Amino acid sequence: MLLTEDEKKLTSEYLENGYCIKKVSDINILEKIIDIFVELTEKTTRIKCISSKSDYLNNVHKIIKIDKLNDIRMNIINGINQHPKFREYYYKLAKPLLDTIVGNELAMQRRINLSIQLPNDDSSLLQVHADTWSGDSPFEVVVWLPIVDCYGTKTMYLLPPNKLKIIDKVFTSKKNNNSEKIFQEIKNDVLWLNIKFGEILIFNQSLPHGNRVNNEKETRWSMNCRFKSVFTPYGDKKLGEFFEPITIRAASKCGIEYEYPGE
């Protein structure tokens, strides 16, 4: 492969581990995202941030009730997806990694998702799954961005590529017919991905992953958004419906628009 040494290193890391955790490309853009989140949270909860922004977000469980969480989350999701610059900010934070791991002609998920996981809350669980099990394309990656430190049970887990044979055995066993039983079979082999504020995660969404009850003392805030090379095969989530092209190059535009003489 005609890659630079840095590109070869990143490629090998992603293929071996199934993920990469690196610093965001621009901390100033991340700070703008934090400002947007604090503003939306203040507007939704009607409670002002009177401490540091990180303390406000980490301790939001002290000012909201679990039964109101999903409404608050959906209001914030709508707010970030209506913001005219938010998707651009998100893409730019991951661009250097995406250029190497996915390519430079990209399709991006049209709506960015948000997870808010309060301490000891079992209503916000994402059971073990791989996105490809439900029809997603194996050519997709997930860009996972925390806006607080995510550690211990306050983060997500991933089954690494070298442990996938376990899943083959689980799927052929009639005893393991639900997500919880599958997790119990793989729980000793999953990796808990500790990610600090200022870092970003790209992972292979065909690997089993999920979260558990957040047993830490702080609230988890994390976003996720899928990217893929625009000309690779699509699964159930189609271009124009779920994905939107964001970086089509001039030669591709010429090719798409080309018509043979006389047609």
Side-chain angles (χ1 to χ4, degrees):
M1 293 188 294
L2 301 180
L3 303 176
T4 67
E5 289 305 313
D6 286 344
E7 288 172 334
K8 289 178 182 178
K9 183 178 179 181
L10 183 60
T11 298
S12 295
E13 181 180 345
Y14 182 82
L15 291 175
E16 180 178 350
N17 298 330
Y19 71 93
C20 292
I21 297 173
K22 304 294 180 184
K23 290 183 179 179
V24 297
S25 66
D26 189 333
I27 194 67
N28 293 320
I29 291 179
L30 183 56
E31 293 292 349
K32 291 179 182 179
I33 285 177
I34 295 299
D35 289 342
I36 293 169
F37 266 94
V38 169
E39 181 181 347
L40 288 170
T41 305
E42 287 178 329
K43 181 179 179 180
T44 304
T45 63
R46 298 181 180 179
I47 298 176
K48 291 289 185 180
C49 173
I50 58 174
S51 58
S52 71
K53 294 170 186 175
S54 62
D55 283 345
Y56 180 69
L57 294 172
N58 271 310
N59 293 289
V60 77
H61 55 278
K62 296 179 180 179
I63 61 174
I64 65 175
K65 295 180 179 179
I66 289 177
D67 61 353
K68 301 294 184 181
L69 177 60
N70 194 55
D71 289 341
I72 292 170
R73 186 179 69 89
M74 292 307 301
N75 284 336
I76 296 174
I77 286 175
N78 289 333
I80 63 176
N81 284 290
Q82 291 168 8
H83 191 282
K85 301 283 286 184
F86 200 90
R87 291 176 77 251
E88 178 184 344
Y89 290 160
Y90 201 97
Y91 163 62
K92 285 183 174 179
L93 290 180
K95 182 182 184 300
L97 301 177
L98 288 168
D99 283 350
T100 297
I101 294 172
V102 185
N104 65 4
E105 290 191 293
L106 297 174
M108 179 180 181
Q109 184 175 328
R110 297 181 67 178
R111 284 180 63 83
I112 295 168
N113 290 323
L114 169 67
S115 174
I116 307 174
Q117 196 176 9
L118 308 182
N120 304 312
D121 173 22
D122 62 2
S123 69
S124 303
L125 299 185
L126 186 62
Q127 298 290 350
V128 61
H129 69 289
D131 296 3
T132 48
W133 297 352
S134 56
D136 282 33
S137 168
F139 290 85
E140 299 170 19
V141 302
V142 175
V143 173
W144 198 90
L145 178 65
I147 57 173
V148 293
D149 289 346
C150 291
Y151 55 89
T153 54
K154 190 188 169 188
T155 188
M156 62 166 280
Y157 63 80
L158 180 79
L159 186 69
N162 62 356
K163 299 293 184 179
L164 278 178
K165 289 184 178 179
I166 300 172
I167 287 294
D168 290 336
K169 294 179 181 178
V170 169
F171 269 50
T172 56
S173 172
K174 295 181 180 179
K175 297 179 181 179
N176 301 305
N177 55 3
N178 64 52
S179 296
E180 182 58 27
K181 288 182 179 179
I182 292 174
F183 177 76
Q184 292 303 320
E185 291 289 336
I186 67 172
K187 66 179 182 180
N188 294 329
D189 296 288
V190 299
L191 299 175
W192 291 88
L193 304 179
N194 294 338
I195 311 168
K196 297 178 182 178
F197 173 78
E199 295 179 331
I200 197 165
L201 162 70
I202 295 185
F203 71 90
N204 179 352
Q205 47 83 52
S206 65
L207 298 173
H209 57 279
N211 65 26
R212 303 293 286 178
V213 172
N214 174 12
N215 292 319
E216 314 306 329
K217 296 180 180 180
E218 298 174 330
T219 295
R220 167 187 148 189
W221 294 73
S222 64
M223 290 171 282
N224 65 84
C225 185
R226 292 166 179 79
F227 292 80
K228 67 187 297 297
S229 180
V230 71
F231 296 116
T232 53
Y234 290 79
D236 291 342
K237 295 174 179 175
K238 304 298 184 183
L239 189 67
E241 299 172 359
F242 187 85
F243 286 101
E244 179 181 26
I246 59 170
T247 55
I248 302 299
R249 305 297 173 172
S252 295
K253 289 182 179 179
C254 290
I256 292 169
E257 296 169 1
Y258 178 76
E259 295 181 4
Y260 284 97
E263 289 188 350

